[in-house]
Amino acid sequence: MHNFTKHDFQSAASTAGNESISSNELDILRNLLRLLPAGVTVQDERGEFIIVNDAAAAQLQLAANASQPSPADDHHEASLDMLRSGRPVVLEEAFTCGASKHVFLTSHRPVQIAGRNLLVSTSTDISEQKAFEDQLFRSAYYDELTGLPTRRVIEHRVTGLIQGDGSQSRFALAFLDVDNFKHINDYYGHAIGDALLVELSKRLGLALRDTDILSRISGDEFLLLLNPISSDQEVAEFIQIMHERLRAPFFIDQSEIFASTSIGVSLYPMHGRSYEALRQNADIAMYRVKNNGKGSTAFFDASMEREALARMKIEQSLRLAILEKRFCCAFQAKVDIRTQEVKGIEALVRLRDDEGVIQAPGTFINLAVELGLIDDLTLLVLAEIVKSIDLINDTFGPNTTISINVAAKQAGNLEFMRAFARALEETGFPKRFMIEVTEDAFITRSHFQDQILPILRGIGVGISIDDFGIGYSSLSALADITADEIKIDRSFITDIHRRPRSQGILRAIESLSEALGMTVVAEGIESFEELTYLQAATRIRYAQGYYFARPIFLEDLKPATPINSESRASLAARPAHENRAAYSRASGFRR
């Protein structure tokens, strides 16, 4: 390795124009070249270095110490080849030293100066830039949490297979969704939920071939490419093994967690000849599994597509109905079964379709929650109540409570519940309202119990536990709940007079509620026998159901004949044969 000399500069200067350069100027040039941040070297015809600045010397030392040198690590031979070719070359050179990786962008240019063939090389350290590019690449193509490829990777691979050499090879695309992942997240917290996704992706990825791809495409959704496949049975057997692998519990942060996946499968070319068609059809098949109980697998068929189109139509009409405010309220009374007085009313939301036909909530409530439209729907119900409060008072009485249902997903949404509480307070009569939420809103790790409940209490709003007994109840959880009312689900009340086991459960709930200071409301009273049993064998005072009255729409309210007037007949005296024969439980609904 040689240092540059005064003679080198003088020769170069003479060739360039025979201009005189003073000794002082040469010193300046020499120091400038030495201190340049970019590496600069000059090699002669034999490949020997005649000029090497400090940055280049450090780079050459780094290359000598590298554990994984650049593929073009024989610099001497490479330099001679470049000199012979006479063509400039730009290379990326990478060196790994321990845990550090260094990347240099080097430009080699053969030149003739003072009759000599020289190779002038300049090198810039681009390690940080390459690290940033690698980070961007991983962010774009690999999931940060699980390390799995992202959606665009599997899409590119599937598209490549379809647009390949035209062979008749077959492959399968499976859409996997973790069952009840929201409940796991709410109960255990997001940190454990994330850890579960990591462990679950490891199990799902076991026994995959090099040609298979498992991708995480969103929160708890995965896509699996099985390529190639020989038969549908081969796919079914492999996925069944995956299900069995997931049945073992996950032990995370001292918690034992059970998880399963619902899987829909589409096959190429049978179920589509594009990535989007295959993915969509696998998604449709997965939703069939979700609707039929979860935790299993379904292969796509044409009937599923028809169902998906029907669902899409409902979805579009629901969005339009909210924009056009085509929802209305019906009210069902909560009756004191001892005195027949109306204690309160429950606001039930109904949808008028394009033809003006009233739709039961079972056709749209779950979809509204899924699509994120339930908040708008709840505020529409409140607006209808406020607009019609005079008519409500004339019909049911000015002191009756007004119950509004809030979905568990809403109850855990601090932002929405704060806005909803403000809207309730702005009505001017917040103490008239009772918010009905299901049990899981209380016991999951959401904001409801600790942050939202005090807000509602602060403005005087009552709290009711809806559909009690069919959710995630536990005695320890119930002891921490400070609700005003428990509504026993109709499944416990139906034919209560002939079901001894349900009678025992009812007595237990009744005693527990009394101990906790909560009012008990029996839901779904439909027959004289059910009412008689509650009156004779329990201390329950309040009930709802079609036996007393069907839900009443606002336009049907008649202030001249209010429910709380003397015109109400003694319901307890009504014989069984006068019950509403036209009503069947299968057609009953409530929100």
Side-chain angles (χ1 to χ4, degrees):
M1 188 178 299
H2 299 282
N3 291 323
F4 50 86
T5 66
K6 178 178 179 180
H7 173 72
D8 296 321
F9 283 110
Q10 287 175 331
S11 298
S14 175
T15 303
N18 296 319
E19 296 180 6
S20 61
I21 299 177
S22 68
S23 175
N24 184 51
E25 289 172 327
L26 286 174
D27 287 339
I28 292 173
L29 289 173
R30 184 184 299 115
N31 288 321
L32 284 175
L33 181 61
R34 182 175 61 83
L35 296 174
L36 282 176
V40 178
T41 65
V42 179
Q43 293 170 268
D44 62 15
E45 295 91 338
R46 298 184 303 277
E48 299 295 329
F49 288 100
I50 59 175
I51 295 178
V52 178
N53 73 347
D54 291 355
Q59 178 186 337
L60 291 170
Q61 186 63 44
L62 189 67
N65 297 334
S67 57
Q68 293 184 8
S70 169
D73 58 340
D74 191 345
H75 292 285
H76 185 268
E77 288 299 324
S79 299
L80 291 177
D81 289 341
M82 284 183 277
L83 275 168
R84 295 187 196 104
S85 70
R87 293 190 300 271
V89 177
V90 178
L91 299 173
E92 252 187 37
E93 298 176 304
F95 311 105
T96 301
C97 296
S100 301
K101 181 179 179 181
H102 300 269
V103 184
F104 295 89
L105 183 65
T106 304
S107 173
H108 303 280
R109 183 178 180 84
V111 297
Q112 278 194 345
I113 298 178
R116 300 178 64 182
N117 292 322
L118 304 174
L119 182 67
V120 179
S121 303
T122 57
S123 182
T124 305
D125 189 340
I126 58 170
S127 302
E128 289 187 9
Q129 176 185 336
K130 294 300 291 186
F132 182 65
E133 289 176 0
D134 289 344
Q135 181 182 351
L136 289 178
F137 178 84
R138 290 203 62 82
S139 298
Y141 294 104
Y142 290 90
D143 174 53
E144 183 178 0
L145 178 65
T146 63
L148 294 175
T150 60
R151 180 198 303 263
R152 66 174 62 185
V153 174
I154 198 167
E155 179 179 357
H156 179 76
R157 177 61 177 151
V158 170
T159 301
L161 289 173
I162 294 172
Q163 296 176 350
D165 58 5
S167 65
Q168 297 302 310
S169 62
R170 301 176 62 203
F171 62 84
L173 194 64
F175 197 113
L176 300 85
D177 184 90
V178 182
D179 298 322
N180 302 317
F181 184 70
K182 181 185 182 304
H183 292 304
I184 293 172
N185 248 349
D186 288 344
Y187 186 78
Y188 293 101
H190 288 276
I192 289 183
D194 286 349
L196 174 64
L197 289 176
V198 172
E199 295 303 314
L200 189 140
S201 66
K202 291 178 182 177
R203 289 194 193 178
L204 292 175
L206 291 175
L208 294 183
R209 302 165 295 184
D210 291 340
T211 53
D212 301 330
I213 296 178
L214 176 65
S215 168
R216 181 183 179 217
I217 61 172
S218 66
D220 61 337
E221 294 178 334
F222 299 82
L223 270 181
L224 172 63
L225 169 66
L226 297 175
N227 170 60
I229 59 171
S230 58
S231 66
D232 303 0
Q233 184 63 28
E234 176 192 10
V235 177
E237 290 174 356
F238 180 82
I239 290 180
Q240 182 58 35
I241 292 172
M242 291 177 63
H243 280 303
E244 292 172 0
R245 198 178 290 137
L246 294 179
R247 289 195 180 103
F250 294 85
F251 294 94
I252 300 173
D253 194 21
Q254 300 182 337
S255 297
E256 184 179 19
I257 304 173
F258 291 87
S260 64
T261 59
S262 296
I263 304 177
V265 181
S266 61
L267 304 173
Y268 174 82
M270 185 187 312
H271 299 144
R273 292 183 175 271
S274 70
Y275 164 79
E276 191 56 38
L278 291 166
R279 185 208 60 78
Q280 183 174 344
N281 289 339
D283 191 10
I284 290 171
M286 184 274 295
Y287 271 102
R288 168 69 67 87
V289 176
K290 289 284 189 183
N291 294 334
N292 291 343
K294 304 178 182 179
S296 61
T297 302
F299 284 73
F300 176 78
D301 63 54
S303 66
M304 297 178 183
E305 188 172 18
R306 290 191 293 271
E307 291 177 6
L309 290 173
R311 171 190 163 91
M312 186 179 299
K313 185 178 179 181
I314 294 173
E315 183 177 319
Q316 291 173 342
S317 64
L318 179 58
R319 292 183 185 277
L320 186 60
I322 289 180
L323 287 174
E324 296 178 350
K325 295 182 171 56
R326 283 195 278 107
F327 289 90
C328 56
C329 284
F331 298 94
Q332 188 170 36
K334 296 180 183 179
V335 178
D336 186 326
I337 62 175
R338 315 292 173 176
T339 66
Q340 313 310 318
E341 295 296 321
V342 174
K343 170 185 180 286
I345 55 173
E346 180 181 359
L348 308 171
V349 65
R350 299 290 185 261
L351 167 65
R352 294 187 189 277
D353 64 18
D354 297 337
E355 299 176 355
V357 178
I358 299 295
Q359 299 293 321
T363 63
F364 63 85
I365 286 296
N366 289 338
L367 186 58
V369 174
E370 182 181 332
L371 297 176
L373 302 175
I374 191 65
D375 293 351
D376 293 333
L377 198 51
T378 302
L379 293 174
L380 282 176
V381 171
L382 179 59
E384 280 292 302
I385 292 171
V386 173
K387 183 174 68 175
S388 308
I389 190 63
D390 291 338
L391 191 56
I392 291 171
N393 290 341
D394 290 342
T395 306
F396 299 104
N399 298 317
T400 54
T401 60
I402 304 170
S403 295
I404 299 179
N405 288 269
V406 170
K409 184 176 182 179
Q410 293 174 285
N413 184 337
L414 184 59
E415 182 179 355
F416 168 74
M417 290 304 295
R418 280 175 172 163
F420 188 49
R422 287 195 299 270
L424 290 170
E425 189 171 22
E426 288 169 1
T427 64
F429 46 92
K431 295 182 180 179
R432 292 274 303 273
F433 289 101
M434 179 81 71
I435 302 303
E436 295 193 8
V437 293
T438 51
E439 306 156 55
D440 47 338
F442 289 92
I443 67 172
T444 56
R445 293 184 180 179
S446 69
H447 299 287
F448 185 78
Q449 180 79 2
D450 298 330
Q451 299 182 48
I452 296 171
L453 198 57
I455 295 173
L456 297 174
R457 292 290 186 199
I459 61 174
V461 173
I463 305 297
S464 175
I465 307 176
D466 198 13
D467 299 334
F468 184 80
I470 62 170
Y472 302 88
S473 305
S474 68
L475 294 180
S476 61
L478 190 61
D480 294 330
I481 294 174
T482 55
D484 303 289
E485 178 182 275
I486 288 181
K487 298 182 73 174
I488 301 174
D489 187 74
R490 62 191 297 175
S491 60
F492 293 100
I493 303 301
T494 300
D495 295 330
I496 185 69
H497 52 286
R498 61 179 74 168
R499 295 166 61 199
R501 293 178 67 85
S502 292
Q503 293 170 9
I505 294 173
L506 191 62
R507 286 193 296 271
I509 295 175
E510 182 183 7
S511 299
L512 184 61
S513 302
E514 288 181 350
L516 297 174
M518 301 181 192
T519 300
V520 178
V521 178
E523 296 185 275
I525 304 295
E526 300 175 4
S527 71
F528 178 73
E529 290 82 6
E530 292 166 355
L531 175 63
T532 301
Y533 175 82
L534 294 180
Q535 290 173 325
T538 74
R539 296 184 298 278
I540 293 175
R541 288 292 301 269
Y542 303 103
Q544 273 182 275
Y546 274 41
Y547 178 80
F548 304 107
R550 285 180 175 273
I552 303 173
F553 290 95
L554 276 173
E555 59 265 35
D556 296 330
L557 296 182
K558 305 294 182 184
T561 56
I563 287 181
N564 63 336
S565 71
E566 64 279 357
S567 64
R568 185 195 300 108
S570 176
L571 297 175
R574 181 189 297 153
H577 66 80
E578 291 184 12
N579 290 343
R580 293 160 176 77
Y583 170 72
S584 68
R585 289 190 193 101
S587 65
F589 51 77
R590 47 186 309 283
R591 159 77 171 89

